[in-house]
Amino acid sequence: MLEKFSLRKNKKDIGTSDNDHSIDQLDLSSIPHHIAIIMDGNGRWAKKRGLPRMAGHHEGMKVVRKIVKASNEIGVKVLTLYAFSTENWKRPKMEVDYLMKLPEEFLGTFLPELVAENVQVRVMGNKDQLPPHTLRAVNKAIEDTKNNDGMILNFALNYGSRYEIIEGIKQLIKDTNNGKLTIDEITEELFSNYLMSADLSEPDLLIRTSGEIRLSNFMLWQLAYSEFWFTDVLWPDFDKKHLYQAIAEYQRRTRRFGGV
Ligand code: FPP
């Protein structure tokens, strides 16, 4: 541990650290409009420290606050965070219960700051299955921030992309059956309006932490042309310099959307 620390310190001293990213390296005129993040690695972060998994989730919640602030400061317009998937119910009850308490704790602590920062809170997911206490907390945040017109903080909570697509298809079929639209009117753009992200632009940049390189049923339709950035950093260790690093890399890429 000591050795690791001194190695890092030396690297930083000579200015070669990969993580040595600052806001000065960003082109503030081309900040991604919409950033989506799969916040992964809370459990491993805790395990490495001999702590219960919940400690990792709690630390992860604090990082959410820091990244929301940093994103807002540099002009990100939409930040979508994958907080709980439709598959996460399979975890031990104690962990699920804890994860369902986090939105309350987060919003109970930080909602006044989010209001002051003009952030609009939203939730994308099946809210019907959330415990009443979680639902109350998120509904209050949505209500209290609904007139804010700054950054949208979109929590994917009890979200699953396949579920979202199936629900969209069911509604689309209902609308064709009741004559609201004809089959020929169905286009990609129209179908996007049947998704939970209907009025949001598609993510420009997807970040996933913790070294896992997969989508885990997250925004499968919306990420079709997004830039992906993966890092080994565990979510509780993620901070704004990693966010800047991801954006700097995004700004070096050429997006062709299938063209040349
Ligand atoms: C994945 O890590 C993380 C989650 C399933 C939960 C993410 C939740 C937070 C970061 C806090 C949410 C905060 C708010 C405000 C709602 P993991 O548990 O799968 O980690 P592991 O892969 O290392 O086990």
Side-chain angles (χ1 to χ4, degrees):
M1 192 65 187
L2 197 63
E3 194 181 70
K4 210 172 168 190
F5 176 72
S6 54
L7 186 72
R8 259 208 211 133
K9 191 164 177 279
N10 288 342
K11 257 186 143 187
K12 201 165 168 28
D13 284 345
I14 55 170
T16 56
S17 167
D18 283 348
N19 290 332
D20 212 4
H21 279 75
S22 78
I23 199 165
D24 305 335
Q25 287 161 287
L26 299 183
D27 173 358
L28 292 175
S29 68
S30 66
I31 295 294
H33 183 98
H34 184 169
I35 299 180
I37 309 184
I38 303 177
M39 310 179 288
D40 197 6
N42 294 347
R44 276 162 284 167
W45 183 92
K47 195 174 175 201
K48 269 168 64 179
R49 287 162 180 77
L51 297 169
R53 293 176 57 80
M54 272 66 86
H57 294 313
H58 195 261
E59 203 59 28
M61 180 196 73
K62 292 196 258 168
V63 173
V64 168
R65 172 64 191 126
K66 288 189 213 159
I67 296 307
V68 168
K69 203 173 170 62
S71 303
N72 200 13
E73 272 166 10
I74 58 174
V76 173
K77 299 291 179 228
V78 185
L79 179 66
T80 296
L81 301 177
Y82 204 5
F84 192 90
S85 76
T86 44
E87 289 73 36
N88 286 154
W89 296 105
K90 293 181 209 150
R91 295 186 176 209
K93 184 177 179 320
M94 195 167 79
E95 184 172 346
V96 169
D97 288 349
Y98 189 80
L99 285 168
M100 284 297 147
K101 279 192 190 122
L102 279 183
E104 258 172 295
E105 184 173 346
F106 177 82
L107 295 165
T109 313
F110 299 119
L111 186 57
E113 291 174 28
L114 298 176
V115 172
E117 289 164 16
N118 198 23
V119 170
Q120 187 186 118
V121 177
R122 298 212 196 165
V123 169
M124 175 174 86
N126 182 356
K127 289 207 287 173
D128 298 342
Q129 288 174 345
L130 297 177
H133 60 95
T134 315
L135 192 59
R136 257 195 312 276
V138 299
N139 280 344
K140 177 177 172 8
I142 293 167
E143 181 60 27
D144 289 1
T145 63
K146 69 173 187 223
N147 295 321
N148 289 356
D149 58 5
M151 189 179 82
I152 294 172
L153 170 57
N154 182 34
F155 284 109
L157 191 60
N158 194 21
Y159 172 84
S161 188
R162 289 182 173 180
Y163 169 81
E164 173 190 40
I165 291 171
I166 293 293
E167 289 303 304
I169 291 171
K170 284 188 201 163
Q171 191 55 47
L172 195 68
I173 292 171
K174 278 187 200 155
D175 285 352
T176 49
N177 285 349
N178 66 24
K180 265 197 195 161
L181 52 97
T182 64
I183 288 178
D184 290 337
E185 284 173 312
I186 300 173
T187 60
E188 291 178 13
E189 199 186 341
L190 183 127
F191 182 63
S192 298
N193 292 324
Y194 283 80
L195 298 176
M196 292 169 177
S197 57
D199 63 337
L200 301 176
S201 63
E202 291 173 357
D204 300 288
L205 172 63
L206 169 82
I207 296 174
R208 182 170 188 151
T209 59
S210 92
E212 306 298 347
I213 305 187
R214 54 177 172 260
L215 284 180
S216 302
N217 201 13
F218 185 55
M219 301 187 90
L220 302 178
W221 174 277
Q222 299 91 331
L223 291 169
Y225 284 104
S226 311
E227 295 297 324
F228 290 6
W229 189 78
F230 297 98
T231 175
D232 288 342
V233 173
L234 304 176
W235 177 251
D237 291 326
F238 192 83
D239 74 15
K240 63 181 178 183
K241 66 179 185 288
H242 302 113
L243 177 72
Y244 299 155
Q245 188 182 355
I247 296 174
E249 164 75 28
Y250 166 87
Q251 291 182 336
R252 283 194 290 272
R253 296 192 191 168
T254 310
R255 299 183 77 189
R256 287 192 289 273
F257 298 95
V260 286

